[in-house]
Amino acid sequence: MRTRAALAGALAELPPISLEDVLAEAALQVRVDRKYLVPVGVFVELVNRLRDRFAVLEIDGQRSFQYESVYFDTPSHGLYRHHLQRRRYRYKVRTRTYLDSGECSFEVKLKGNRSETIKSRLPYAVSDRGRLTGPARDFLAEQLRTTYGVGPVDGLQPSLVTTYRRSTLTDPAAHERLTCDVDLRFSDATSSIDVLPDSVLVESKTNGRTGAADAVLRDLRIRPIHVSKYCVAAALLNPALRSNPWHRTVRQLVVAGRSGYREA
């Protein structure tokens, strides 16, 4: 709650931008993402230095919004292991629900030839967000066949859920976007973990080059981390899974709510 309040206070100084303008100026479906764990005090300084360039998404007077993502994987965490092994044809499959508006989409995230993120979306019924429908399976197969020339793995099923509160900053002139997440919770069928008690998970999204936010974070001595929410959540919820590449990040995220994580 303290982190959320600090974030709200920092963002109050930025001008607002509408959802339509965000989608028109910065809806980057092929992009390079850079992630940072930013202590809340440093985040306030980051926003202060970006205030002349960035605006914050505002809808009906709100500047932060609740998200829920349901990730799908095999019972043996096959897609997680592909990321762990940095397979060339790795991908993530999820539904994303915007809890404030009730809108939902089915999303496939792949890696391009230059490690850029390629995200494809399909409109989805909120009532189906916990399962893969026939059209979703067909959409996934089409994306994989088109981009990788392979089919999906068998046995995909709901694996875990992430929820968080997000604010979105946009530089309309540079087509740069910054998402800022707090109040992260990871859940599966048996447990839940709250993370990020004193930090903000910041993701910069550009068309390839480093952006203004990346430069400010570098000046503030915050380095990018190589990790995904899904992989960290899977490692925390399943301590027996190997997670060597992310030990440092996982330690930074841990946590209120559970102490069962151990390095495997």
Side-chain angles (χ1 to χ4, degrees), residues 33-65:
D33 299 342
R34 299 177 182 85
K35 302 181 178 70
Y36 305 86
L37 276 178
V38 183
V40 64
V42 178
F43 179 81
V44 172
E45 177 62 19
L46 168 69
V47 174
N48 187 51
R49 295 194 189 186
L50 296 175
R51 60 196 302 177
D52 292 336
R53 305 179 55 139
F54 279 75
V56 59
L57 172 64
E58 181 176 297
I59 302 175
D60 296 332
Q62 293 190 59
R63 295 188 167 198
S64 69
F65 307 92

Side-chain angles (χ1 to χ4, degrees), residues 80-254:
Y80 170 87
R81 296 178 195 281
H82 290 176
H83 283 78
L84 184 76
Q85 298 160 1
R86 300 191 64 79
R87 295 273 188 93
R88 168 69 183 85
Y89 295 151
R90 62 188 185 274
Y91 57 95
K92 289 193 283 284
V93 181
R94 72 187 182 197
T95 60
R96 169 165 288 180
T97 303
Y98 304 88
L99 296 177
D100 296 282
S101 66
E103 296 180 20
C104 183
S105 60
F106 174 73
E107 299 182 347
V108 180
K109 294 181 72 174
L110 307 99
K111 283 294 180 184
N113 292 330
R114 292 175 293 179
S115 296
E116 74 273 25
T117 300
I118 303 172
K119 184 163 72 174
S120 303
R121 288 175 171 165
L122 179 73
Y124 219 60
V126 174
S127 57
D128 288 332
R129 68 186 189 275
R131 71 185 189 97
L132 287 179
T133 64
R137 292 181 186 278
D138 292 342
F139 182 78
L140 170 62
E142 179 185 355
Q143 301 308 310
L144 292 174
R145 185 171 54 251
T146 300
T147 306
Y148 291 162
V150 302
V153 298
D154 294 328
L156 290 177
Q157 63 182 36
S159 178
L160 60 86
V161 178
T162 65
T163 59
Y164 50 93
R165 181 171 288 275
R166 166 170 291 183
S167 296
T168 300
L169 281 59
T170 298
D171 179 348
H175 304 287
E176 181 182 350
R177 188 154 41 113
L178 208 63
T179 59
C180 312
D181 299 342
V182 298
D183 296 350
L184 265 74
R185 170 169 287 187
F186 304 147
S187 307
D188 62 12
T190 60
S191 60
S192 294
I193 301 176
D194 295 318
V195 299
L196 285 179
D198 297 309
S199 297
V200 182
L201 180 60
V202 173
E203 296 185 45
S204 75
K205 306 170 192 295
T206 72
N207 58 6
R209 55 172 174 57
T210 56
D214 300 300
V216 172
L217 286 164
R218 184 168 58 247
D219 188 56
L220 293 171
R221 300 182 183 279
I222 302 295
R223 301 290 180 252
I225 56 175
H226 297 283
V227 73
S228 74
K229 287 192 192 73
Y230 173 66
C231 291
V232 169
L236 282 167
L237 292 166
N238 302 275
L241 284 176
R242 190 167 72 86
S243 59
N244 306 60
W246 308 307
H247 281 167
R248 181 178 179 184
T249 301
V250 169
R251 281 196 297 268
Q252 287 177 278
L253 287 168
V254 174

